[in-house]
Amino acid sequence: MNKRIVGIDVARALAVIGMIIVNFKMVFGHSGSETLYQISSIFDGKAAATFVVLAGVGIAFATKNLLAPEHTAQLISRRNKILKRALLLFVIGISYIPIWPADILHFYGVYIPITILLISKKSNIILWTAIALVFLFPVLMLFMDYESFWDFTNYEYNQFWTVKGFMYNLFFNGFHPVIPWTAFMLIGLWWGRNALHSIPFILKSMKISLGIFIGIQIISKTVIYLLADGQPEIAQELSEILGTSPMPPLPIYMISGASIAIFIISTCIYISQKFESHVIIKYLAQAGQLALTFYVAHVVLGMGLMETIYPNSLGTYTITFSMSYAVLFSLGCIVFAHLWLKRYKTGPLERMIHKVISM
């Protein structure tokens, strides 16, 4: 049986906290301090990418000891449970789209079945499939209008509940479209098959992923600078194609997001192995075990309650308020996780999902 890797739970906690910061900033507002806004923007596109890569790592961890022919029956059983989980995540995510259009969970409901199709394949096939998805997206952009159904001024998606609008959003131009975002989960599956308990492998992963991340940033900024030739308007237009923004999720963003995700996860594993008994590691690891609960809670409680109480104030707050609220909410999650796990083995939503898929 696989030993739980504390660093992966720590990485989950940091990914969720990063998503809370990004989403609270988007919903509540970000006027005021430019410095604080730039700090909060560090998490844009990276926290969510890390969250998806971690899901792929989790699938790898849950299945890699069952790939031998003698474990076929166990693998099928495990696969079916993961697929049931995917269906539940899809339903949960869709259920609160009216209050949170940028939900990622319903996308998981499609990422996961695609990933499951590849769990028995060789690692190089998984990696090349991920690469193919990354480069399929710009090809689709040649034939499909990425701005279809979008009002990017207000970040509102029209006709989401029509068949065409829904399919466009899910597979092509939503916040986390199946093409190419499934590649993040496949990268997690590919990387998670390795010896994640091994410090030499983790250090190697840290160095290579950081090198790729820095390299892609340098290439992106240099090419934009050279092609723009000092013209801000052209630089802005080029940034949409050659920059590292998650929308649209072009190859430079995908490579950047995957590399920083591996670096963050590797670093968390390394630090957690060195300081496993430290109280900060312990508390973050506990929060990471309730990552799904906290993701849903930050939507339903963190944003939903504020929208109910102050419906006309969303988008009007300062970045100081949004960041402060995000930090306080995250600290509340960490404390809740510590208290909850004194009595139960898994989080409230994780516990409910486990009961449903075990039926």
Side-chain angles (χ1 to χ4, degrees):
M1 186 175 179
N2 291 317
K3 179 185 176 183
R4 192 176 192 100
I5 299 177
V6 174
I8 290 179
D9 287 325
V10 172
R12 284 196 185 99
L14 295 180
V16 170
I17 291 170
M19 293 170 78
I20 291 171
I21 291 171
V22 170
N23 295 339
F24 279 15
K25 176 187 67 175
M26 181 190 303
V27 170
F28 297 121
H30 48 75
S31 60
S33 172
E34 181 64 24
T35 300
L36 196 55
Y37 175 77
Q38 291 300 326
I39 292 173
S40 68
S41 296
I42 292 172
F43 302 97
D44 291 355
K46 301 178 184 69
T50 302
F51 200 54
V52 179
V53 172
L54 280 163
V57 172
I59 292 173
F61 211 60
T63 60
K64 66 181 178 181
N65 289 340
L66 303 176
L67 298 179
E70 61 267 25
H71 297 306
T72 300
Q74 291 171 278
L75 181 62
I76 292 173
S77 176
R78 184 68 54 82
R79 182 196 64 193
N80 290 339
K81 286 183 178 180
I82 294 173
L83 289 173
K84 286 181 182 179
R85 180 183 178 88
L87 178 60
L88 281 173
L89 293 178
F90 183 85
V91 172
I92 291 169
I94 286 294
S95 69
Y96 56 60
I97 285 290
I99 64 171
W100 183 229
D103 167 69
I104 197 172
L105 296 184
H106 72 285
F107 290 104
Y108 270 53
V110 184
Y111 302 160
I112 292 173
I114 294 173
T115 302
I116 288 299
L117 288 174
L118 296 170
I119 57 173
S120 299
K121 304 298 181 182
K122 293 181 179 180
S123 293
N124 63 336
I125 294 177
I126 295 170
L127 180 60
W128 281 109
T129 303
I131 293 171
L133 284 170
V134 168
F135 288 95
L136 174 59
F137 181 77
V139 173
L140 291 179
M141 287 187 73
L142 297 175
F143 302 97
M144 301 167 69
D145 182 6
Y146 181 75
E147 296 186 4
S148 291
F149 308 111
W150 269 111
D151 172 8
F152 280 113
T153 303
N154 301 309
Y155 267 91
E156 293 179 356
Y157 197 88
N158 303 311
Q159 301 183 44
F160 179 87
W161 297 109
T162 66
V163 173
K164 185 176 181 180
F166 184 84
M167 297 303 285
Y168 254 67
N169 186 283
L170 182 65
F171 286 95
F172 177 60
N173 69 348
F175 282 98
H176 316 287
V178 170
I179 301 171
W181 270 69
T182 304
F184 285 136
M185 193 171 285
L186 293 177
I187 290 293
L189 176 66
W190 166 76
W191 185 74
R193 285 183 166 188
N194 292 283
L196 302 189
H197 292 96
S198 167
I199 287 293
F201 173 76
I202 291 302
L203 287 173
K204 182 179 179 181
S205 293
M206 289 169 63
K207 292 174 183 176
I208 293 175
S209 58
L210 182 60
I212 293 173
F213 177 74
I214 293 173
I216 206 73
Q217 305 302 309
I218 293 172
I219 291 171
S220 172
K221 293 184 185 303
T222 301
V223 172
I224 291 171
Y225 175 79
L226 292 174
L227 294 179
D229 196 26
Q231 300 181 58
E233 297 81 5
I234 296 178
Q236 179 62 38
E237 292 177 6
L238 289 170
S239 293
E240 295 179 5
I241 302 172
L242 301 172
T244 55
S245 170
M247 294 184 75
L250 287 161
I252 288 181
Y253 163 69
M254 295 298 296
I255 297 168
S256 173
S259 59
I260 196 62
I262 296 297
F263 175 73
I264 290 169
I265 300 166
S266 299
T267 302
C268 287
I269 292 173
Y270 178 75
I271 293 174
S272 297
Q273 283 199 20
K274 293 293 183 181
F275 305 100
E276 187 169 355
S277 60
H278 196 285
V279 65
I280 294 177
I281 298 297
K282 177 183 176 182
Y283 273 63
L284 284 175
Q286 289 175 335
Q289 292 178 48
L290 276 68
L292 182 58
T293 290
F294 294 146
Y295 178 82
V296 173
H298 101 279
V299 174
V300 178
L301 299 179
M303 293 187 281
L305 285 180
M306 283 288 289
E307 185 174 10
T308 301
I309 298 170
Y310 305 109
N312 299 319
S313 298
L314 299 186
T316 65
Y317 294 97
T318 65
I319 186 64
T320 302
F321 171 85
S322 299
M323 283 285 285
S324 298
Y325 185 26
V327 170
L328 287 173
F329 189 89
S330 299
L331 289 174
C333 290
I334 292 170
V335 172
F336 177 86
H338 178 69
L339 297 175
W340 180 270
L341 290 175
K342 284 185 175 182
R343 184 171 180 179
Y344 303 103
K345 292 183 178 180
T346 56
L349 188 55
E350 289 84 357
R351 184 182 174 90
M352 181 274 287
I353 289 177
H354 178 72
K355 287 183 177 181
V356 172
I357 65 178
S358 298
M359 291 173 62

